[in-house]
Amino acid sequence: QVQLVESGGGLVQPGGSLTLSCAASESIVSIYDMAWYRQAPGKQRELVAIINSVGITNYGDSVKGRFTISRDNAKNTVYLQMNSLKPEDAAVYYCRGTWGPRTYWGQGTQVTVSS
């Protein structure tokens, strides 16, 4: 059973930045992919960013140019750098990782964007 632990959420003003971390209990070298999702109250969970085994990334349209996903294999950690945050970015952010046929989710970290 792989555990994913998100951290880094909090309160930030519009236009500010946050970096989320997702620490895995297993090596991420052999992952199929890892991704960040978010879910705001009353809305469906949506894909924010994804990174595959060879480092290719993709982003949701609403965050392109503002968010960056990256990975540190030595620390078994995936990051989400979020810049130019908007009130509509407020949500619970979840990390998802896929090892072979198995997918695991973290518990989520809250991001609030408000002045």
Side-chain angles (χ1 to χ4, degrees):
Q1 183 80 8
V2 177
Q3 292 186 337
L4 299 175
V5 180
E6 301 99 332
S7 61
L11 172 64
V12 63
Q13 292 186 341
S17 298
L18 277 177
T19 300
L20 306 183
S21 300
C22 173
S25 61
E26 298 284 336
S27 171
I28 65 171
V29 171
S30 60
I31 59 165
Y32 179 76
D33 63 30
M34 291 192 76
W36 287 96
Y37 289 73
R38 67 186 182 188
Q39 187 166 19
K43 295 188 177 182
Q44 288 188 333
R45 190 172 295 190
E46 64 171 343
L47 176 66
V48 175
I50 190 167
I51 185 166
N52 71 5
S53 59
V54 295
I56 295 174
T57 60
N58 204 355
Y59 298 89
D61 288 341
S62 62
V63 307
K64 283 181 181 177
R66 299 188 297 123
F67 290 12
T68 302
I69 188 170
S70 63
R71 55 192 281 185
D72 185 334
N73 290 345
K75 296 182 178 180
N76 295 331
T77 300
V78 173
Y79 302 96
L80 184 68
Q81 173 68 43
M82 305 185 294
N83 298 324
S84 303
L85 283 161
K86 304 175 181 180
E88 52 265 40
D89 294 317
V92 177
Y93 283 70
Y94 297 92
C95 177
R96 193 254 315 143
T98 300
W99 279 259
R102 298 187 181 274
T103 294
Y104 302 91
W105 290 86
Q107 293 299 307
T109 185
Q110 177 72 50
V111 172
T112 303
V113 184
S114 175
S115 54

